[in-house]
Structure formats: structure tokens, C-alpha cells
Amino acid sequence: MAILKAALDRAWAGDCDKPMLMTGSKKPSTLALFEAAGFEPSKAGFQARRLPVSAG
């Protein structure tokens, strides 16, 4: 948890108004850790992934 709090402290010090954390985990213990560190669940997250180049 210390690393998450340190990251938030750094974000606030850098005038970031909305630090974001994304996870694909549905484990209650993981989600509870993030909430205990000051993050709250959000409605949506979006990402783009580069497709791997095929070898053949």
C-alpha cells in the first residue's frame, strides 16, 4: 500500500487532479486494497492494444 500512497502523493504534488488506476482484477482483496489507498471505483476505462506481429 505504501507504493500506492507514494504515487498519489507524487500526483497531488504535481497538480494532477485525477490520478487513475486500472485493474482487471475482480478479487475483493485487491479491490479493497485500492480503495484503502484512496482510490474509488469508476464506471469506465478504455484501452487500445497493439496486435502482436505474427512470425509467419
Side-chain angles (χ1 to χ4, degrees), residues 4-5 10-11 18-20 22 24 27-28 32-33 36 39-40 46-47 52 54-56:
L4 292 173
K5 288 188 183 254
R10 184 82 175 229
K18 186 171 62 174
M20 299 175 79
M22 293 185 71
K27 279 181 67 176
L33 174 74
F39 290 86
E40 59 187 57
F46 296 87
Q47 63 182 332
S54 64

Side-chain angles (χ1 to χ4, degrees), residues 3-52:
I3 192 84
L4 292 173
K5 288 188 183 254
L8 278 177
D9 289 344
R10 184 82 175 229
W12 300 141
D15 206 27
C16 179
D17 67 335
K18 186 171 62 174
M20 299 175 79
L21 183 149
M22 293 185 71
T23 182
S25 178
K26 303 245 188 271
K27 279 181 67 176
S29 59
T30 301
L31 303 178
L33 174 74
F34 296 152
E35 288 189 53
F39 290 86
E40 59 187 57
S42 179
K43 301 178 258 196
F46 296 87
Q47 63 182 332
R49 294 185 185 204
R50 184 185 310 239
L51 297 177

